[in-house]
Amino acid sequence: MAERTLAIIKPDAVAKHAIGDITRRYEEAGLHPKAIRMMRLSKASAEGFYAVHRERPFFNDLTTYMCSGPVVVLVLEGVDAVKTNRDLMGATDPKKADAGTIRAVHGASIEANAVHGSDSVDNAQIEIRYFFSESEFS
Ligand code: IDP
Ligand code: MG
């Protein structure tokens, strides 16, 4: 079923000039961009986005890292978009990610792991609304 998910190309991947490669992987997997924005997150905005992780020991490092440089935020649409994207991304820790996944190819560490992807359809809706309004969709 056609579905939407939210992806973020994180600061490490933008810094290593992987925007094009990662976006090509989305498109080739049938995940079509409906909205794209390059931006620099504020600390408050990164904290709001990752609010579910507020109690985790890595929360402050993670939110500092997420606003350390520009990111590219995308709404991707395709069949089973949430799961398709999670499969394409690979495991959180790039060292444990399957060969050929985005994190295995581009991730630098468990924190600087190249991309974010929504983990459920419900969270995708919340995350999409966090960054985009309906008028911004193609
Ligand atoms: P996910 O991005 O694969 O869904 P989550 O557990 O939701 O992983 O964690 C959100 C983000 O927090 C990860 O993508 C990664 O950037 C960071 N993170 C997760 N676990 C750790 C950790 O143990 N140390 C440092 N950063 C972490
Ligand atoms: Mg997650």
Side-chain angles (χ1 to χ4, degrees):
M1 207 182 81
E3 213 170 74
R4 285 178 180 178
T5 191
L6 185 96
I8 303 178
I9 303 176
K10 295 185 178 183
D12 61 304
V14 172
K16 66 183 276 203
H17 310 300
I19 295 172
D21 181 69
I22 292 171
T23 305
R24 176 184 61 76
R25 288 167 190 269
Y26 293 147
E27 292 190 304
E28 288 183 353
L31 295 169
H32 303 298
K34 300 298 287 180
I36 301 183
R37 190 188 305 136
M38 190 166 191
M39 61 190 295
R40 179 91 179 239
L41 298 178
S42 66
K43 183 82 157 107
S45 160
E47 287 172 356
F49 182 73
Y50 278 120
V52 313
H53 293 308
R54 190 171 286 125
E55 304 305 324
R56 307 280 282 276
F58 55 80
F59 180 71
N60 188 52
D61 277 357
L62 170 64
T63 52
T64 298
Y65 154 67
M66 285 299 289
C67 53
S68 65
V71 297
V72 177
V73 189
L74 307 92
V75 177
L76 302 173
E77 188 174 272
V79 176
D80 293 328
V82 170
K83 182 176 189 306
T84 300
N85 187 38
R86 293 295 301 196
D87 291 347
L88 191 64
M89 290 161 62
T92 306
D93 183 351
K95 290 199 291 288
K96 296 181 182 152
D98 288 345
T101 59
I102 293 171
R103 283 168 163 172
V105 173
H106 291 299
S109 69
I110 192 168
E111 177 180 84
N113 57 3
V115 283
H116 167 83
S118 308
D119 64 2
S120 69
V121 174
D122 285 351
N123 283 338
Q125 278 183 0
I126 293 166
E127 292 178 359
I128 288 168
R129 245 181 268 128
Y130 192 78
F131 287 111
F132 294 99
S133 57
E134 201 56 40
S135 63
E136 292 174 273
F137 294 116
S138 58

